[in-house]
Amino acid sequence: TPEQITDPEYATLAFEKGLKQVDGWQDMPLTEAAQTVQVSAYPDAYAQWEQQAADIVAQHWNS
């Protein structure tokens, strides 16, 4: 539903579930892995957020 996909927790868990189903995702460029899960009409759009996502993960990984 629109409510589910705009809920950060739901969207994150759904993405992680989809990612785990992609063989070799650990060895893919981040943008390729994201596109494989999301199947966006704009596959290159993920690249602009790659550094910000990495920073957020690094900030919260050890907290």
CSV table of all heavy atoms in Angstrom, one decimal:
chain,number,residue,atom,x,y,z
A,1,THR,N,0.8,-1.2,0.0
A,1,THR,CA,0.0,0.0,0.0
A,1,THR,C,0.9,1.2,0.0
A,1,THR,O,2.1,1.2,0.4
A,1,THR,CB,-0.9,0.0,1.2
A,1,THR,OG1,-0.1,0.2,2.4
A,1,THR,CG2,-1.8,-1.2,1.4
A,2,PRO,N,0.3,2.4,-0.4
A,2,PRO,CA,1.1,3.6,-0.3
A,2,PRO,C,1.7,3.9,1.1
A,2,PRO,O,2.8,4.4,1.3
A,2,PRO,CB,0.2,4.7,-0.8
A,2,PRO,CG,-0.8,3.9,-1.7
A,2,PRO,CD,-0.9,2.6,-1.1
A,3,GLU,N,0.8,3.6,2.1
A,3,GLU,CA,1.3,3.8,3.5
A,3,GLU,C,2.5,3.0,3.8
A,3,GLU,O,3.4,3.4,4.5
A,3,GLU,CB,0.1,3.6,4.4
A,3,GLU,CG,-1.0,4.5,4.3
A,3,GLU,CD,-2.0,4.3,3.1
A,3,GLU,OE1,-2.0,3.2,2.6
A,3,GLU,OE2,-2.6,5.2,2.8
A,4,GLN,N,2.5,1.7,3.4
A,4,GLN,CA,3.6,0.8,3.7
A,4,GLN,C,4.9,1.3,3.0
A,4,GLN,O,5.9,1.3,3.7
A,4,GLN,CB,3.2,-0.6,3.2
A,4,GLN,CG,2.2,-1.3,4.1
A,4,GLN,CD,1.8,-2.6,3.5
A,4,GLN,OE1,1.5,-2.8,2.4
A,4,GLN,NE2,1.9,-3.7,4.4
A,5,ILE,N,4.8,1.6,1.7
A,5,ILE,CA,6.0,1.9,1.0
A,5,ILE,C,6.6,3.2,1.4
A,5,ILE,O,7.8,3.5,1.1
A,5,ILE,CB,5.9,1.8,-0.5
A,5,ILE,CG1,4.9,2.8,-1.0
A,5,ILE,CG2,5.5,0.3,-0.9
A,5,ILE,CD1,4.8,2.9,-2.6
A,6,THR,N,5.9,4.1,2.1
A,6,THR,CA,6.4,5.3,2.5
A,6,THR,C,6.8,5.3,4.0
A,6,THR,O,7.3,6.2,4.6
A,6,THR,CB,5.4,6.5,2.3
A,6,THR,OG1,4.2,6.2,3.0
A,6,THR,CG2,5.2,6.7,0.8
A,7,ASP,N,6.6,4.1,4.6
A,7,ASP,CA,7.0,3.9,6.0
A,7,ASP,C,8.5,3.4,6.0
A,7,ASP,O,8.8,2.4,5.4
A,7,ASP,CB,6.1,2.8,6.7
A,7,ASP,CG,6.6,2.5,8.1
A,7,ASP,OD1,6.6,3.4,9.0
A,7,ASP,OD2,7.1,1.4,8.3
A,8,PRO,N,9.4,4.2,6.6
A,8,PRO,CA,10.8,3.8,6.5
A,8,PRO,C,11.2,2.4,7.0
A,8,PRO,O,12.0,1.7,6.4
A,8,PRO,CB,11.5,4.9,7.4
A,8,PRO,CG,10.6,6.0,7.4
A,8,PRO,CD,9.2,5.4,7.3
A,9,GLU,N,10.5,2.0,8.1
A,9,GLU,CA,10.8,0.7,8.6
A,9,GLU,C,10.4,-0.4,7.6
A,9,GLU,O,11.1,-1.4,7.3
A,9,GLU,CB,10.2,0.5,10.0
A,9,GLU,CG,10.6,-0.9,10.6
A,9,GLU,CD,10.0,-1.1,12.0
A,9,GLU,OE1,9.3,-0.2,12.5
A,9,GLU,OE2,10.3,-2.1,12.6
A,10,TYR,N,9.1,-0.3,7.2
A,10,TYR,CA,8.6,-1.3,6.2
A,10,TYR,C,9.5,-1.3,4.9
A,10,TYR,O,9.8,-2.4,4.5
A,10,TYR,CB,7.2,-1.0,5.9
A,10,TYR,CG,6.6,-1.9,4.8
A,10,TYR,CD1,6.0,-3.1,5.2
A,10,TYR,CD2,6.7,-1.7,3.5
A,10,TYR,CE1,5.5,-4.0,4.3
A,10,TYR,CE2,6.2,-2.5,2.5
A,10,TYR,CZ,5.6,-3.7,2.9
A,10,TYR,OH,5.1,-4.6,2.0
A,11,ALA,N,9.7,-0.1,4.4
A,11,ALA,CA,10.5,-0.1,3.2
A,11,ALA,C,11.9,-0.6,3.3
A,11,ALA,O,12.4,-1.4,2.4
A,11,ALA,CB,10.6,1.4,2.7
A,12,THR,N,12.5,-0.4,4.4
A,12,THR,CA,13.9,-0.9,4.7
A,12,THR,C,13.9,-2.4,4.8
A,12,THR,O,14.7,-3.1,4.1
A,12,THR,CB,14.5,-0.3,6.0
A,12,THR,OG1,14.6,1.1,5.8
A,12,THR,CG2,15.9,-0.9,6.3
A,13,LEU,N,12.9,-2.9,5.5
A,13,LEU,CA,12.9,-4.4,5.7
A,13,LEU,C,12.5,-5.1,4.4
A,13,LEU,O,13.0,-6.1,4.0
A,13,LEU,CB,11.8,-4.8,6.8
A,13,LEU,CG,12.2,-4.4,8.2
A,13,LEU,CD1,11.1,-4.6,9.2
A,13,LEU,CD2,13.5,-5.0,8.6
A,14,ALA,N,11.6,-4.5,3.6
A,14,ALA,CA,11.3,-5.0,2.3
A,14,ALA,C,12.5,-5.0,1.3
A,14,ALA,O,12.7,-6.0,0.6
A,14,ALA,CB,10.1,-4.3,1.7
A,15,PHE,N,13.2,-3.9,1.4
A,15,PHE,CA,14.4,-3.9,0.5
A,15,PHE,C,15.4,-4.9,0.9
A,15,PHE,O,16.0,-5.6,0.1
A,15,PHE,CB,15.1,-2.5,0.6
A,15,PHE,CG,16.3,-2.4,-0.2
A,15,PHE,CD1,16.2,-2.1,-1.6
A,15,PHE,CD2,17.6,-2.5,0.3
A,15,PHE,CE1,17.4,-2.0,-2.4
A,15,PHE,CE2,18.7,-2.5,-0.4
A,15,PHE,CZ,18.6,-2.2,-1.8
A,16,GLU,N,15.7,-5.0,2.2
A,16,GLU,CA,16.6,-6.1,2.7
A,16,GLU,C,16.2,-7.5,2.3
A,16,GLU,O,17.0,-8.3,1.9
A,16,GLU,CB,16.8,-6.0,4.2
A,16,GLU,CG,17.6,-4.7,4.7
A,16,GLU,CD,17.6,-4.6,6.2
A,16,GLU,OE1,16.9,-5.3,6.9
A,16,GLU,OE2,18.4,-3.7,6.6
A,17,LYS,N,14.9,-7.7,2.4
A,17,LYS,CA,14.4,-9.0,2.0
A,17,LYS,C,14.7,-9.3,0.5
A,17,LYS,O,15.1,-10.4,0.1
A,17,LYS,CB,12.9,-9.1,2.3
A,17,LYS,CG,12.3,-10.5,2.0
A,17,LYS,CD,10.8,-10.5,2.4
A,17,LYS,CE,10.2,-11.8,2.0
A,17,LYS,NZ,8.8,-11.8,2.3
A,18,GLY,N,14.4,-8.3,-0.3
A,18,GLY,CA,14.7,-8.4,-1.7
A,18,GLY,C,16.1,-8.6,-2.0
A,18,GLY,O,16.5,-9.4,-2.9
A,19,LEU,N,17.0,-7.8,-1.3
A,19,LEU,CA,18.4,-7.9,-1.6
A,19,LEU,C,19.0,-9.3,-1.3
A,19,LEU,O,19.8,-9.8,-2.0
A,19,LEU,CB,19.1,-6.8,-0.7
A,19,LEU,CG,20.6,-6.6,-1.0
A,19,LEU,CD1,20.9,-6.2,-2.4
A,19,LEU,CD2,21.2,-5.6,0.0
A,20,LYS,N,18.5,-9.9,-0.2
A,20,LYS,CA,19.0,-11.2,0.2
A,20,LYS,C,18.7,-12.2,-0.9
A,20,LYS,O,19.3,-13.3,-0.9
A,20,LYS,CB,18.4,-11.6,1.5
A,20,LYS,CG,19.0,-10.8,2.7
A,20,LYS,CD,18.4,-11.2,4.0
A,20,LYS,CE,19.0,-10.3,5.1
A,20,LYS,NZ,18.3,-10.7,6.4
A,21,GLN,N,17.7,-12.0,-1.7
A,21,GLN,CA,17.3,-12.9,-2.8
A,21,GLN,C,18.2,-12.7,-4.1
A,21,GLN,O,18.0,-13.5,-5.0
A,21,GLN,CB,15.9,-12.8,-3.1
A,21,GLN,CG,15.0,-13.1,-2.0
A,21,GLN,CD,13.5,-12.9,-2.2
A,21,GLN,OE1,13.1,-12.7,-3.4
A,21,GLN,NE2,12.7,-12.9,-1.2
A,22,VAL,N,19.1,-11.7,-4.1
A,22,VAL,CA,19.9,-11.5,-5.2
A,22,VAL,C,21.2,-12.2,-5.1
A,22,VAL,O,22.0,-11.8,-4.2
A,22,VAL,CB,20.1,-9.9,-5.4
A,22,VAL,CG1,21.1,-9.7,-6.6
A,22,VAL,CG2,18.8,-9.2,-5.6
A,23,ASP,N,21.5,-13.1,-5.9
A,23,ASP,CA,22.8,-13.9,-5.8
A,23,ASP,C,23.9,-12.9,-6.1
A,23,ASP,O,23.9,-12.2,-7.1
A,23,ASP,CB,22.8,-15.0,-6.8
A,23,ASP,CG,21.9,-16.2,-6.5
A,23,ASP,OD1,21.6,-16.3,-5.3
A,23,ASP,OD2,21.4,-16.9,-7.4
A,24,GLY,N,24.9,-13.0,-5.2
A,24,GLY,CA,26.1,-12.2,-5.4
A,24,GLY,C,26.0,-10.7,-5.1
A,24,GLY,O,26.9,-9.9,-5.5
A,25,TRP,N,25.0,-10.3,-4.4
A,25,TRP,CA,24.8,-8.9,-4.2
A,25,TRP,C,26.0,-8.2,-3.4
A,25,TRP,O,26.3,-7.1,-3.6
A,25,TRP,CB,23.5,-8.6,-3.4
A,25,TRP,CG,23.4,-9.1,-2.0
A,25,TRP,CD1,22.9,-10.3,-1.6
A,25,TRP,CD2,23.9,-8.4,-0.8
A,25,TRP,NE1,23.1,-10.4,-0.3
A,25,TRP,CE2,23.7,-9.3,0.2
A,25,TRP,CE3,24.5,-7.2,-0.6
A,25,TRP,CZ2,24.0,-9.0,1.6
A,25,TRP,CZ3,24.8,-6.9,0.7
A,25,TRP,CH2,24.6,-7.7,1.8
A,26,GLN,N,26.6,-9.0,-2.6
A,26,GLN,CA,27.7,-8.5,-1.8
A,26,GLN,C,28.9,-8.0,-2.7
A,26,GLN,O,29.7,-7.2,-2.3
A,26,GLN,CB,28.3,-9.6,-0.8
A,26,GLN,CG,27.3,-10.1,0.1
A,26,GLN,CD,26.6,-11.3,-0.3
A,26,GLN,OE1,26.4,-11.6,-1.5
A,26,GLN,NE2,26.2,-12.2,0.6
A,27,ASP,N,29.0,-8.6,-3.9
A,27,ASP,CA,30.1,-8.3,-4.8
A,27,ASP,C,29.7,-7.3,-5.9
A,27,ASP,O,30.5,-6.9,-6.7
A,27,ASP,CB,30.6,-9.5,-5.4
A,27,ASP,CG,31.1,-10.5,-4.4
A,27,ASP,OD1,31.8,-10.1,-3.4
A,27,ASP,OD2,30.9,-11.7,-4.5
A,28,MET,N,28.5,-6.8,-5.9
A,28,MET,CA,28.0,-5.9,-6.9
A,28,MET,C,28.3,-4.4,-6.5
A,28,MET,O,28.3,-4.1,-5.3
A,28,MET,CB,26.5,-6.0,-7.1
A,28,MET,CG,26.0,-7.2,-7.7
A,28,MET,SD,24.2,-7.1,-7.8
A,28,MET,CE,23.8,-8.7,-8.5
A,29,PRO,N,28.4,-3.5,-7.4
A,29,PRO,CA,28.4,-2.1,-7.0
A,29,PRO,C,27.1,-1.8,-6.4
A,29,PRO,O,26.0,-2.4,-6.7
A,29,PRO,CB,28.5,-1.4,-8.4
A,29,PRO,CG,29.1,-2.4,-9.3
A,29,PRO,CD,28.6,-3.7,-8.8
A,30,LEU,N,27.1,-0.9,-5.4
A,30,LEU,CA,25.9,-0.6,-4.7
A,30,LEU,C,24.7,-0.2,-5.6
A,30,LEU,O,23.6,-0.6,-5.3
A,30,LEU,CB,26.1,0.5,-3.6
A,30,LEU,CG,27.1,0.1,-2.5
A,30,LEU,CD1,27.3,1.3,-1.6
A,30,LEU,CD2,26.5,-1.0,-1.7
A,31,THR,N,25.0,0.6,-6.6
A,31,THR,CA,23.9,1.0,-7.4
A,31,THR,C,23.3,-0.1,-8.2
A,31,THR,O,22.1,-0.2,-8.5
A,31,THR,CB,24.4,2.1,-8.4
A,31,THR,OG1,25.5,1.6,-9.1
A,31,THR,CG2,24.8,3.4,-7.7
A,32,GLU,N,24.1,-1.1,-8.6
A,32,GLU,CA,23.6,-2.3,-9.4
A,32,GLU,C,22.8,-3.1,-8.4
A,32,GLU,O,21.7,-3.6,-8.9
A,32,GLU,CB,24.8,-3.1,-9.9
A,32,GLU,CG,24.4,-4.3,-10.8
A,32,GLU,CD,25.5,-5.0,-11.3
A,32,GLU,OE1,26.6,-4.5,-11.5
A,32,GLU,OE2,25.4,-6.2,-11.6
A,33,ALA,N,23.2,-3.3,-7.2
A,33,ALA,CA,22.4,-4.1,-6.3
A,33,ALA,C,21.1,-3.5,-6.0
A,33,ALA,O,20.0,-4.1,-6.0
A,33,ALA,CB,23.2,-4.3,-5.0
A,34,ALA,N,21.1,-2.2,-5.8
A,34,ALA,CA,19.8,-1.4,-5.5
A,34,ALA,C,18.9,-1.5,-6.7
A,34,ALA,O,17.7,-1.8,-6.6
A,34,ALA,CB,20.1,0.0,-5.2
A,35,GLN,N,19.4,-1.4,-7.9
A,35,GLN,CA,18.6,-1.4,-9.1
A,35,GLN,C,18.0,-2.8,-9.3
A,35,GLN,O,16.9,-3.0,-9.7
A,35,GLN,CB,19.4,-1.0,-10.3
A,35,GLN,CG,18.7,-1.2,-11.7
A,35,GLN,CD,17.4,-0.4,-11.8
A,35,GLN,OE1,17.1,0.4,-11.0
A,35,GLN,NE2,16.6,-0.7,-12.8
A,36,THR,N,18.8,-3.9,-8.9
A,36,THR,CA,18.3,-5.2,-9.1
A,36,THR,C,17.1,-5.5,-8.2
A,36,THR,O,16.1,-6.1,-8.6
A,36,THR,CB,19.4,-6.2,-8.7
A,36,THR,OG1,20.5,-6.0,-9.6
A,36,THR,CG2,19.0,-7.7,-8.9
A,37,VAL,N,17.1,-4.9,-7.0
A,37,VAL,CA,16.0,-5.0,-6.1
A,37,VAL,C,14.8,-4.1,-6.5
A,37,VAL,O,13.7,-4.5,-6.6
A,37,VAL,CB,16.4,-4.7,-4.6
A,37,VAL,CG1,15.2,-4.7,-3.7
A,37,VAL,CG2,17.4,-5.7,-4.2
A,38,GLN,N,15.1,-2.8,-6.8
A,38,GLN,CA,14.1,-1.8,-7.0
A,38,GLN,C,13.5,-1.8,-8.4
A,38,GLN,O,12.4,-1.4,-8.6
A,38,GLN,CB,14.6,-0.4,-6.6
A,38,GLN,CG,15.1,-0.2,-5.2
A,38,GLN,CD,13.9,-0.2,-4.2
A,38,GLN,OE1,13.5,-1.3,-3.7
A,38,GLN,NE2,13.4,0.9,-4.0
A,39,VAL,N,14.3,-2.2,-9.4
A,39,VAL,CA,13.9,-2.1,-10.8
A,39,VAL,C,13.3,-0.8,-11.1
A,39,VAL,O,12.2,-0.6,-11.6
A,39,VAL,CB,12.9,-3.3,-11.1
A,39,VAL,CG1,12.7,-3.4,-12.6
A,39,VAL,CG2,13.3,-4.6,-10.5
A,40,SER,N,14.1,0.3,-10.9
A,40,SER,CA,13.7,1.6,-11.2
A,40,SER,C,13.8,2.0,-12.7
A,40,SER,O,14.6,1.4,-13.4
A,40,SER,CB,14.6,2.6,-10.4
A,40,SER,OG,14.5,3.9,-10.8
A,41,ALA,N,12.9,2.9,-13.1
A,41,ALA,CA,13.0,3.4,-14.4
A,41,ALA,C,14.2,4.3,-14.6
A,41,ALA,O,14.6,4.6,-15.7
A,41,ALA,CB,11.7,4.2,-14.8
A,42,TYR,N,14.8,4.7,-13.5
A,42,TYR,CA,16.0,5.6,-13.5
A,42,TYR,C,17.1,4.9,-12.8
A,42,TYR,O,17.4,5.3,-11.6
A,42,TYR,CB,15.6,6.9,-12.9
A,42,TYR,CG,14.5,7.6,-13.6
A,42,TYR,CD1,13.2,7.5,-13.1
A,42,TYR,CD2,14.7,8.3,-14.8
A,42,TYR,CE1,12.1,8.1,-13.7
A,42,TYR,CE2,13.6,8.9,-15.5
A,42,TYR,CZ,12.3,8.8,-14.9
A,42,TYR,OH,11.3,9.3,-15.6
A,43,PRO,N,17.7,3.9,-13.3
A,43,PRO,CA,18.7,3.1,-12.6
A,43,PRO,C,19.9,3.8,-12.1
A,43,PRO,O,20.5,3.5,-11.1
A,43,PRO,CB,19.1,2.0,-13.5
A,43,PRO,CG,18.8,2.5,-14.9
A,43,PRO,CD,17.6,3.4,-14.7
A,44,ASP,N,20.3,4.9,-12.8
A,44,ASP,CA,21.5,5.7,-12.4
A,44,ASP,C,21.2,6.7,-11.2
A,44,ASP,O,22.1,7.3,-10.7
A,44,ASP,CB,22.1,6.4,-13.5
A,44,ASP,CG,22.5,5.5,-14.6
A,44,ASP,OD1,23.0,4.4,-14.3
A,44,ASP,OD2,22.4,5.8,-15.8
A,45,ALA,N,19.9,6.8,-10.8
A,45,ALA,CA,19.5,7.8,-9.8
A,45,ALA,C,20.1,7.4,-8.4
A,45,ALA,O,20.3,8.2,-7.6
A,45,ALA,CB,18.0,7.9,-9.7
A,46,TYR,N,20.4,6.1,-8.2
A,46,TYR,CA,20.9,5.6,-6.9
A,46,TYR,C,22.3,6.2,-6.6
A,46,TYR,O,22.6,6.4,-5.5
A,46,TYR,CB,20.9,4.1,-6.8
A,46,TYR,CG,19.5,3.5,-6.9
A,46,TYR,CD1,19.1,2.8,-8.1
A,46,TYR,CD2,18.6,3.6,-5.9
A,46,TYR,CE1,17.8,2.2,-8.1
A,46,TYR,CE2,17.3,3.1,-6.0
A,46,TYR,CZ,17.0,2.4,-7.1
A,46,TYR,OH,15.7,1.8,-7.2
A,47,ALA,N,23.1,6.3,-7.7
A,47,ALA,CA,24.5,6.7,-7.5
A,47,ALA,C,24.6,8.0,-6.7
A,47,ALA,O,25.5,8.2,-5.9
A,47,ALA,CB,25.2,6.8,-8.8
A,48,GLN,N,23.7,9.0,-6.9
A,48,GLN,CA,23.8,10.3,-6.2
A,48,GLN,C,23.6,10.1,-4.7
A,48,GLN,O,24.1,11.0,-3.9
A,48,GLN,CB,22.8,11.3,-6.7
A,48,GLN,CG,21.3,10.9,-6.4
A,48,GLN,CD,20.4,11.9,-7.0
A,48,GLN,OE1,20.7,13.1,-7.0
A,48,GLN,NE2,19.2,11.5,-7.5
A,49,TRP,N,23.1,9.0,-4.2
A,49,TRP,CA,22.8,8.9,-2.8
A,49,TRP,C,23.8,7.9,-2.1
A,49,TRP,O,23.7,7.6,-0.9
A,49,TRP,CB,21.4,8.4,-2.5
A,49,TRP,CG,20.4,9.3,-3.1
A,49,TRP,CD1,19.6,9.0,-4.2
A,49,TRP,CD2,20.1,10.6,-2.7
A,49,TRP,NE1,18.8,10.1,-4.5
A,49,TRP,CE2,19.1,11.1,-3.6
A,49,TRP,CE3,20.5,11.4,-1.7
A,49,TRP,CZ2,18.5,12.4,-3.5
A,49,TRP,CZ3,20.0,12.7,-1.6
A,49,TRP,CH2,19.0,13.2,-2.5
A,50,GLU,N,24.7,7.3,-2.9
A,50,GLU,CA,25.6,6.3,-2.4
A,50,GLU,C,26.4,6.7,-1.2
A,50,GLU,O,26.5,6.1,-0.2
A,50,GLU,CB,26.5,5.8,-3.5
A,50,GLU,CG,27.3,4.6,-3.1
A,50,GLU,CD,28.0,3.9,-4.3
A,50,GLU,OE1,27.7,4.2,-5.5
A,50,GLU,OE2,28.9,3.2,-4.0
A,51,GLN,N,27.1,7.9,-1.3
A,51,GLN,CA,27.9,8.4,-0.2
A,51,GLN,C,27.1,8.7,1.0
A,51,GLN,O,27.5,8.3,2.1
A,51,GLN,CB,28.7,9.6,-0.7
A,51,GLN,CG,29.7,10.0,0.4
A,51,GLN,CD,30.7,8.9,0.7
A,51,GLN,OE1,31.4,8.4,-0.1
A,51,GLN,NE2,30.8,8.5,2.0
A,52,GLN,N,25.9,9.3,0.8
A,52,GLN,CA,25.1,9.6,2.0
A,52,GLN,C,24.6,8.4,2.7
A,52,GLN,O,24.6,8.3,3.9
A,52,GLN,CB,23.9,10.5,1.5
A,52,GLN,CG,23.0,10.9,2.7
A,52,GLN,CD,21.8,11.7,2.2
A,52,GLN,OE1,21.6,11.9,1.1
A,52,GLN,NE2,21.0,12.2,3.2
A,53,ALA,N,24.3,7.4,1.9
A,53,ALA,CA,23.9,6.1,2.5
A,53,ALA,C,25.0,5.4,3.3
A,53,ALA,O,24.8,4.9,4.4
A,53,ALA,CB,23.3,5.1,1.4
A,54,ALA,N,26.2,5.4,2.7
A,54,ALA,CA,27.4,4.9,3.3
A,54,ALA,C,27.7,5.6,4.6
A,54,ALA,O,28.0,5.0,5.7
A,54,ALA,CB,28.6,4.9,2.4
A,55,ASP,N,27.5,6.9,4.6
A,55,ASP,CA,27.8,7.7,5.9
A,55,ASP,C,26.8,7.4,7.0
A,55,ASP,O,27.1,7.2,8.1
A,55,ASP,CB,27.7,9.2,5.6
A,55,ASP,CG,28.9,9.7,4.7
A,55,ASP,OD1,29.9,8.9,4.5
A,55,ASP,OD2,28.8,10.8,4.1
A,56,ILE,N,25.5,7.2,6.6
A,56,ILE,CA,24.5,6.9,7.6
A,56,ILE,C,24.7,5.5,8.2
A,56,ILE,O,24.6,5.3,9.4
A,56,ILE,CB,23.1,6.9,6.9
A,56,ILE,CG1,22.7,8.4,6.6
A,56,ILE,CG2,22.0,6.3,7.8
A,56,ILE,CD1,21.5,8.6,5.8
A,57,VAL,N,25.0,4.5,7.3
A,57,VAL,CA,25.3,3.2,7.8
A,57,VAL,C,26.5,3.2,8.7
A,57,VAL,O,26.5,2.6,9.8
A,57,VAL,CB,25.5,2.2,6.6
A,57,VAL,CG1,26.1,0.9,7.1
A,57,VAL,CG2,24.2,2.0,5.9
A,58,ALA,N,27.6,3.9,8.3
A,58,ALA,CA,28.8,4.0,9.2
A,58,ALA,C,28.5,4.6,10.5
A,58,ALA,O,29.0,4.2,11.6
A,58,ALA,CB,29.9,4.7,8.5
A,59,GLN,N,27.7,5.6,10.5
A,59,GLN,CA,27.3,6.4,11.7
A,59,GLN,C,26.5,5.5,12.7
A,59,GLN,O,26.7,5.6,13.9
A,59,GLN,CB,26.5,7.6,11.4
A,59,GLN,CG,26.1,8.4,12.5
A,59,GLN,CD,25.3,9.7,12.1
A,59,GLN,OE1,24.8,9.7,11.0
A,59,GLN,NE2,25.2,10.6,13.0
A,60,HIS,N,25.6,4.6,12.2
A,60,HIS,CA,24.8,3.9,13.0
A,60,HIS,C,25.2,2.4,13.3
A,60,HIS,O,24.7,1.7,14.1
A,60,HIS,CB,23.3,3.9,12.5
A,60,HIS,CG,22.7,5.3,12.5
A,60,HIS,ND1,22.3,5.8,13.7
A,60,HIS,CD2,22.6,6.2,11.5
A,60,HIS,CE1,21.8,7.1,13.4
A,60,HIS,NE2,22.0,7.3,12.1
A,61,TRP,N,26.1,2.0,12.5
A,61,TRP,CA,26.6,0.6,12.5
A,61,TRP,C,27.1,0.2,13.9
A,61,TRP,O,26.8,-0.9,14.4
A,61,TRP,CB,27.6,0.3,11.5
A,61,TRP,CG,27.9,-1.2,11.3
A,61,TRP,CD1,29.0,-1.8,11.9
A,61,TRP,CD2,27.2,-2.1,10.6
A,61,TRP,NE1,28.9,-3.2,11.5
A,61,TRP,CE2,27.9,-3.4,10.7
A,61,TRP,CE3,26.0,-2.0,9.8
A,61,TRP,CZ2,27.4,-4.5,10.1
A,61,TRP,CZ3,25.6,-3.2,9.2
A,61,TRP,CH2,26.2,-4.4,9.4
A,62,ASN,N,27.9,1.1,14.5
A,62,ASN,CA,28.5,0.7,15.8
A,62,ASN,C,27.7,1.4,17.0
A,62,ASN,O,28.2,1.3,18.1
A,62,ASN,CB,29.9,1.2,15.8
A,62,ASN,CG,30.8,0.4,14.8
A,62,ASN,OD1,30.6,-0.8,14.8
A,62,ASN,ND2,31.6,1.1,14.1
A,63,SER,N,26.6,1.9,16.8
A,63,SER,CA,25.8,2.6,17.9
A,63,SER,C,24.9,1.6,18.6
A,63,SER,O,24.7,0.5,18.3
A,63,SER,CB,25.1,3.8,17.4
A,63,SER,OG,24.1,3.4,16.4
